[in-house]
Amino acid sequence: MIHYKSKEEIELIRQSALIVSKTLALMAEHIRPGITPLELDKIAEEYIRDSGAVPGFLGLYDYPNTIITSVNEQVVHGIPTNRPLQEGDIVGMDIGALKNGYYGDHAYTFAVGEVSDDIKQLLKVTKESLYLGIAQTVAGNRMGDIGYAIQNYTESFGYGVVRELVGHGLGKKMHESPEVPNYGKRGHGSKIKEGLVIAIEPMINMGTRRVIQLSDGWTIVTADKMPSAHFEHNVAVVDGKPEILSTFKYVEEALEKVNGLVI
């Protein structure tokens, strides 16, 4: 059952989403060759708690950490480790925050130092596909319109669109109905209505769309070990149109300040 949100609820979700946005910006300031995901995890948890929220992922389904760090061929659900990030890595960072009873949850994939042109394109196309999906989030459209926009664009570059993992509704629970696939047919799926709040999150692989879960029970990797990118926004339908509750503004300002590079 889909829980449509009031404008007051949407504002509460926005508050939590913006805490995540600013936490991701803090990550952008610290990501560099040599730092470990566990060090980033500690920084993120402290910031979220200092912001009057609690980490949205810590303890959720028994997840052991505050942030999710998926490196290179890891698609999503990577658990932070003591392995230092290396020049040329990419790391998909997914973060959640809970404040005033409502969740924020979004993600950004960072380049660590200088990466190859092929990886730069993967990151750019995946981020662009997110906004194409958001543009379809209007009252009267259907969930398949979002998925089609993402799939059609990314597959035109020869990329694989993950099927096993999807976006989701967002509110008092981290994961609510409806599911938001990154593939689909126009005009199919549940109808988009006023007050819908969803997390749209393309997970796009450079090679095959097939994925495998590792023995830790969390980490999802590409079957061919090629890189994967993940970007995510929280989106509400307000006055019939999509309104992005999260933002990459702070992340991009931080990246510009640190290295003058925004992909």
Side-chain angles (χ1 to χ4, degrees):
M1 178 177 170
I2 300 172
H3 177 84
Y4 297 97
K5 311 305 190 291
S6 66
K7 289 190 176 181
E8 290 76 17
E9 287 180 299
I10 288 170
E11 288 309 309
L12 290 171
I13 296 169
R14 190 197 309 272
Q15 288 179 27
S16 295
L18 290 177
I19 290 172
V20 176
S21 300
K22 292 175 181 179
T23 308
L24 284 167
L26 188 62
M27 299 295 95
E29 293 175 9
H30 286 85
I31 288 175
R32 64 184 185 277
I35 198 166
T36 71
L38 275 174
E39 289 173 315
L40 295 169
D41 186 75
K42 183 177 179 181
I43 294 167
E45 179 175 358
E46 183 176 339
Y47 180 81
I48 291 169
R49 294 191 187 280
D50 286 348
S51 300
V54 297
F57 294 148
L58 182 62
L60 185 70
Y61 314 125
D62 294 325
Y63 184 73
N65 292 89
T66 290
I67 63 176
I68 291 170
T69 52
S70 304
V71 181
N72 297 332
E73 75 274 10
Q74 296 177 352
V75 180
V76 286
H77 302 167
I79 299 173
T81 69
N82 277 317
R83 172 196 175 273
L85 296 175
Q86 300 177 13
E87 182 88 14
D89 284 344
I90 57 173
V91 53
M93 192 160 294
D94 196 352
I95 301 177
L98 174 65
K99 185 175 183 178
N100 296 322
Y102 289 86
Y103 283 95
D105 162 33
H106 56 286
Y108 196 96
T109 300
F110 296 94
V112 181
E114 186 63 31
V115 298
S116 70
D117 288 343
D118 285 348
I119 288 179
K120 287 179 183 177
Q121 177 178 271
L122 174 67
L123 300 183
K124 179 174 182 289
V125 169
T126 304
K127 189 198 288 187
E128 289 170 346
S129 77
L130 169 60
Y131 289 100
L132 291 174
I134 290 169
Q136 295 299 315
T137 312
V138 299
N141 274 6
R142 292 186 177 272
M143 214 54 65
D145 296 312
I146 298 172
Y148 176 84
I150 293 169
Q151 178 184 12
N152 186 60
Y153 185 63
T154 55
E155 286 185 348
S156 73
F157 290 86
Y159 297 148
V161 180
V162 175
R163 303 294 201 274
E164 292 84 354
L165 301 143
V166 297
H168 52 90
L170 186 72
K172 289 185 176 180
K173 295 181 179 180
M174 175 69 77
H175 299 110
E176 299 184 353
S177 294
E179 291 189 344
V180 187
N182 297 305
Y183 61 94
K185 295 182 179 180
R186 288 181 290 191
H188 287 248
S190 59
K191 185 173 285 189
I192 296 169
K193 298 180 181 180
E194 183 75 11
L196 179 72
V197 179
I198 54 177
I200 303 176
E201 48 179 320
M203 290 158 269
I204 308 301
N205 302 341
M206 185 177 286
T208 180
R209 67 177 178 85
R210 294 191 304 109
V211 297
I212 299 168
Q213 186 176 53
L214 298 185
S215 59
D216 62 13
W218 284 102
T219 311
I220 306 294
V221 301
T222 57
D224 58 7
K225 306 302 182 187
M226 293 188 72
S228 182
H230 177 211
F231 289 87
E232 177 181 14
H233 266 315
N234 301 152
V235 183
V237 180
V238 178
D239 298 327
K241 298 178 182 179
E243 187 167 315
I244 305 175
L245 306 180
S246 47
T247 181
F248 291 153
K249 172 188 174 183
Y250 305 121
V251 170
E252 291 168 353
E253 287 176 350
L255 291 173
E256 192 77 36
K257 181 178 179 182
V258 171
N259 56 24
L261 176 66
V262 177
I263 294 176

